[in-house]
Amino acid sequence: MRSVITIDVTAGHGGSITPSARVAIGYGLSKMFAITPRWGYSIADVVVDGVSAGPVSIYMFSNLTENHTISATFKRNA
C-alpha cells in the first residue's frame, strides 16, 4: 500500500488550476482543485485521468488510493 499519492496538474493557456504542478496527498485522503480562467477566457474542458469532466470550476478527488492526472483547457471569449 502506498502512503503518498501524486496528482499531476496541467493548465493550458488562459487559466490555472490551484493547487498547481505535482501535488502529493496522503493515501485515503481527499483533495479539491479549483479551475480558474483568466479575464477574457472561459473553461473549455477539464480532463481527469484521460476522461472529460466537462467545463467544471471545481473538482474533488475523494478517498485517494492511486495516482491521478488533472488538466484544463481554456478558450478565449468572443
Side-chain angles (χ1 to χ4, degrees):
M1 177 170 75
R2 295 179 169 191
S3 59
V4 176
I5 305 301
T6 59
I7 301 174
D8 288 316
V9 181
T10 308
H13 179 76
S16 62
I17 301 178
T18 305
S20 61
R22 177 174 271 187
V23 178
I25 311 291
Y27 186 92
L29 298 178
S30 300
K31 187 66 178 175
M32 182 169 49
F33 290 82
I35 298 92
T36 308
R38 291 186 189 140
W39 186 88
Y41 287 82
S42 58
I43 301 167
D45 196 16
V46 175
V47 177
V48 177
D49 298 331
V51 178
S52 173
V56 298
S57 59
I58 294 175
Y59 190 87
M60 173 72 83
F61 288 96
S62 299
N63 191 27
L64 290 163
T65 59
E66 61 187 20
N67 295 334
H68 293 280
T69 61
I70 183 169
S71 64
T73 54
F74 302 90
K75 60 184 177 183
R76 185 180 285 278
N77 297 335

